[in-house]
Amino acid sequence: DQQVKQNSPSLSVQEGRISILNCDYTNSMFDYFLWYKKYPAEGPTFLISISSIKDKNEDGRFTVFLNKSAKHLSLHIVPSQPGDSAVYFCAASVGYGGSQGNLIFGKGTKLSVKP
Amino acid sequence: EPEVTQTPSHQVTQMGQEVILRCVPISNHLYFYWYRQILGQKVEFLVSFYNNEISEKSEIFDDQFSVERPDGSNFTLKIRSTKLEDSAMYFCASSDYNTGELFFGEGSRLTVL
């Protein structure tokens, strides 16, 4: 039962170009979404989040877009840098902060940014 | 920058043995979690802990698993009698009340032989 789906296991992008990572979800109760980045042998590192009351959140080179009607979110990285090469996980939860339920993770997308 | 620390980084154990994985969450955080990732699979929720009790647990978190916060700083995951399928990377995480961002440790790799 995949409540959070990342259908692209891998993505390769040229340095300086835009990276777009996609995520779909099935549970309409989810109202908080996060992106995590993970290097080998390290824990997931929080990147950016968005609550369901917004459709866009931006932090430097990272922007997350949420389309609630399509149950779809995407992470845009502009410009992409070789150091961005990692596995990116989409995660979702019901609730936020003190009332947050557990995070449901997607399977991840491995991003490779080529110099 | 505050971080979540986990020990050991790697533990090898025999099937049927007890294992304790330790975590020191970020000091002002109130919510604590264990997740695991079996090799090649997704990160899966095990348990969340708040106010000295379990607030939520998954189907994976059966009677073989337990958590406690014995001294107000460490947060431990105990597996009473390990099975081969418990081999995984175990991640501890913590968060504060006001945000939903979980901060993860670097993980403890458990290998059950």
Side-chain angles (χ1 to χ4, degrees):
Chain A
D1 175 29
Q2 284 191 70
Q3 296 187 64
V4 177
K5 301 177 189 178
Q6 292 176 258
N7 291 320
S8 298
S10 63
L11 174 68
S12 183
V13 168
Q14 206 65 35
E15 181 179 6
R17 299 290 189 99
I18 185 171
S19 295
I20 300 177
L21 298 114
N22 293 303
C23 178
D24 297 294
Y25 61 96
T26 57
N27 187 343
S28 56
M29 298 295 290
F30 287 146
D31 55 5
Y32 191 61
F33 305 90
L34 308 91
W35 283 95
Y36 281 84
K37 171 174 156 179
K38 185 179 179 303
Y39 294 114
E42 293 186 13
T45 303
F46 170 74
L47 265 181
I48 193 168
S49 62
I50 188 167
S51 72
S52 59
I53 62 171
K54 294 185 175 182
D55 53 20
K56 177 181 174 182
N57 189 26
E58 194 170 351
D59 183 1
R61 296 186 297 113
F62 302 92
T63 303
V64 56
F65 295 92
L66 175 62
N67 182 334
K68 288 188 290 293
S69 60
K71 294 193 179 73
H72 177 83
L73 63 153
S74 60
L75 174 68
H76 292 210
I77 306 173
V78 182
S80 302
Q81 299 172 354
D84 296 329
S85 298
V87 178
Y88 289 78
F89 290 98
C90 171
S93 69
V94 176
Y96 175 86
S99 61
Q100 185 176 30
N102 71 81
L103 289 183
I104 306 295
F105 282 85
K107 287 188 174 182
T109 297
K110 184 176 181 180
L111 173 66
S112 300
V113 180
K114 301 192 182 311
Chain B
E1 186 175 321
E3 59 180 16
V4 175
T5 57
Q6 290 185 239
T7 54
S9 56
H10 188 193
Q11 180 153 358
V12 181
T13 190
Q14 294 291 326
M15 190 169 58
Q17 295 295 303
E18 176 183 283
V19 160
I20 298 176
L21 304 177
R22 293 182 169 79
C23 169
V24 179
I26 293 172
S27 60
N28 62 339
H29 284 183
L30 300 176
Y31 297 84
F32 314 109
Y33 311 83
W34 284 100
Y35 283 76
R36 79 173 186 190
Q37 186 180 27
I38 294 172
L39 188 64
Q41 299 186 25
K42 65 166 105 179
V43 177
E44 302 173 289
F45 169 75
L46 291 178
V47 65
S48 58
F49 192 86
Y50 170 70
N51 201 24
N52 283 321
E53 59 183 26
I54 291 173
S55 47
E56 192 171 356
K57 61 183 181 179
S58 71
E59 297 172 346
I60 304 166
F61 196 88
D62 62 22
D63 292 344
Q64 294 299 313
F65 291 87
S66 62
V67 289
E68 64 175 2
R69 197 155 184 249
D71 56 12
S73 61
N74 289 287
F75 177 51
T76 62
L77 173 69
K78 182 193 286 187
I79 308 174
R80 238 179 300 278
S81 177
T82 50
K83 304 188 283 284
L84 295 175
E85 54 265 37
D86 293 328
S87 295
M89 196 74 159
Y90 287 81
F91 294 106
C92 174
S94 67
S95 67
D96 67 20
Y97 183 83
N98 295 316
T99 70
E101 294 100 16
L102 272 63
F103 291 83
F104 285 83
E106 294 202 341
S108 293
R109 179 170 297 286
L110 175 64
T111 302
V112 182
L113 302 176

